[in-house]
Amino acid sequence: MSIRTTAKARGGMIALTVAVGLAVGVAGCGGGAGDDKKPHRSASTAGHSDPSAQEGQSDTPLAELKGSEGLLLQITSAQRDSGGFLTVNGVLKNDGAKSLLVPSALSGNETEIIRNGTSLGGATLVDPQGKKRYYVLRDTEGRPLTTTGFSTLKAGDSLAVFMQFPAPPANTSEVEFQLPTFASAGIKISG
């Protein structure tokens, strides 16, 4: 095999590895020990969920963030994945007395993310120790690696959500989670 053929093969393997990694992120897989046995839902089929019904997550959330018009976001886990990602899982609830349209501001203000519909693409993590801000990852077509495709939540309903970020350095154990229209909160990273 020539050097040129080996370089092409290696480039193809790298591209395949990246594509598989992104496909796993789009499917909403959180990664981590034992997750390969759990059923995963895509963002469009996430449906309504109770945080205690989700495997591997405690009944006590890492943080509760209050948003506009009775929206509540409970962060249930922030898990490092072996691929260098950090997946934040949670439950978006409508604690209000009436159905509400989820604010489009949650998608953020980047044109590439907005064009893919309602999402949690506006979420960021701030590492105060490393003085860095991390944005939601995107696939090769600009879609955010987060729950998408939701618009209305009825009173009392909840929706399981996820957001995937680049992982901060291993020595960073806590970050500040921010989402437009919600109060910010510190969350502890596991894994």
Side-chain angles (χ1 to χ4, degrees), residues 32-50:
D35 277 352
D36 54 339
K37 295 176 186 156
K38 297 179 192 172
H40 295 286
R41 299 181 195 169
S42 71
S44 61
T45 62
H48 303 298
S49 178
D50 174 24

Side-chain angles (χ1 to χ4, degrees), residues 6-7 11 33 41 59 69 85-86 88 137-138 141 153 187 190:
T6 303
R41 299 181 195 169
D59 290 337
E69 300 183 43
F85 305 114
L86 177 73
V88 175
L137 291 168
R138 300 179 194 142
E141 294 178 15
L153 279 178
I187 57 174
S190 60

Side-chain angles (χ1 to χ4, degrees), residues 174-187:
E174 191 166 337
V175 291
E176 185 83 10
F177 177 85
Q178 299 175 342
L179 182 65
T181 77
F182 283 81
S184 61
I187 57 174

